[in-house]
Amino acid sequence: MIRTNKLKKVYRTEEIETTALNEVDLHIQPGEFVSIMGPSGCGKSTLLNILGLIDNPSGGEYFFLDEEVSKYSERQRSNLRKHNIGFIFQSFNLIDELSVYENVELPMLYTKVPAGERKKRTEELLEKMNMMHRKNHFPQQLSGGQQQRVAVARAIVNNPKIILADEPTGNLDSSNGDDVMKTLAQLNQEGTTIIMVTHSAYCSEFGNRVVRLLDGQIVSENTIAKYRI
């Protein structure tokens, strides 16, 4: 599903050159739940942005669904992204001016899903996330845990093949964080591939593999025998 070959990302200014990723080789199979860990500044978010087709690498190859996409234009990346990838962020990234219902519905407008199907999917997911009673509320009227449940619903409403989660529990208390992780584990058991950046050893154990980065390189990979659910 995903394969990188000697993936590099270099940031340059007039005075300095910083290597964020240094020849990263990573393979991710369909249905995996991979946790990416490492200290701040090690390249985790940079790698996630490239895997999510938000950014292009400076060198190496990136195969996404058997397509070599490392030199794709923004338009090409956007087209692949909106049909195949759901994103969950630490800061939720909900649109304050839209209601809960409208935030969840929004990705389907970009993929031209018919109105009837949009309504059906949105309501089903809000029920699943126990947020139907808040459908007309706005993000700032919700708790952090409620906002992240809405963000999860938005991420999966187009039935993506892959979910990319960047510190999805970072702004949540332990109870709400646990709820989010159990939801991700359930989605994975239903067949969705998940790649998650986390600082939490506890959260990493919901997956089946932990990849550790240091100074822009993979330094270890460990398989986890069981999900923590």
Side-chain angles (χ1 to χ4, degrees), residues 18-142:
T18 303
T19 300
L21 296 174
N22 188 11
E23 298 194 348
V24 170
D25 294 336
L26 179 66
H27 291 211
I28 295 175
Q29 300 296 328
E32 279 200 282
F33 187 154
V34 178
S35 301
I36 300 175
M37 302 188 73
S40 296
C42 72
K44 301 187 302 297
S45 292
T46 299
L47 178 58
L48 205 68
N49 285 341
I50 292 174
L51 297 182
L53 303 168
I54 294 173
D55 198 2
N56 271 340
S58 304
E61 297 174 309
Y62 176 27
F63 292 88
F64 179 82
L65 301 178
D66 295 324
E67 295 183 55
E68 211 292 297
V69 299
S70 62
K71 303 297 192 299
Y72 270 25
S73 67
E74 169 53 30
R75 176 174 291 185
Q76 290 173 305
R77 296 200 310 270
S78 176
N79 189 54
L80 271 179
R81 200 166 53 229
K82 67 186 179 183
H83 289 285
N84 295 288
I85 303 175
F87 294 90
I88 303 171
F89 303 95
Q90 177 178 347
S91 55
F92 317 131
N93 283 15
L94 299 176
I95 298 174
D96 289 339
E97 294 77 20
L98 299 183
S99 68
V100 164
Y101 185 99
E102 291 166 336
N103 266 283
V104 175
E105 181 187 36
L106 186 62
M108 293 184 287
L109 295 176
Y110 297 136
T111 53
K112 297 181 171 57
V113 175
E117 179 66 13
R118 292 202 308 269
K119 183 175 187 295
K120 177 175 178 288
R121 287 194 210 172
T122 300
E123 291 182 349
E124 285 178 352
L125 280 176
L126 289 176
E127 289 285 1
K128 182 175 182 177
M129 297 296 166
N130 194 28
M131 290 299 297
M132 192 63 180
H133 65 298
R134 297 281 193 175
K135 70 174 185 177
N136 294 321
H137 287 66
F138 292 89
Q140 296 306 314
Q141 297 174 301
L142 307 177

Side-chain angles (χ1 to χ4, degrees), residues 8 10-19:
K8 294 192 70 171
V10 179
Y11 295 102
R12 295 182 176 89
T13 67
E14 292 182 0
E15 298 179 352
I16 194 169
E17 178 176 290
T18 303
T19 300

Side-chain angles (χ1 to χ4, degrees), residues 139-189:
Q140 296 306 314
Q141 297 174 301
L142 307 177
S143 69
Q146 289 172 330
Q147 288 188 62
Q148 195 62 299
R149 289 205 296 274
V150 175
V152 172
R154 180 186 61 184
I156 65 177
V157 74
N158 269 329
N159 301 313
K161 295 179 177 68
I162 300 171
I163 291 176
L164 300 182
D166 193 355
E167 297 284 358
T169 66
N171 283 337
L172 304 178
D173 60 35
S174 57
S175 177
N176 281 308
D178 208 45
D179 287 344
V180 168
M181 291 310 306
K182 288 177 179 177
T183 298
L184 291 178
Q186 183 62 44
L187 290 169
N188 178 246
Q189 289 191 334

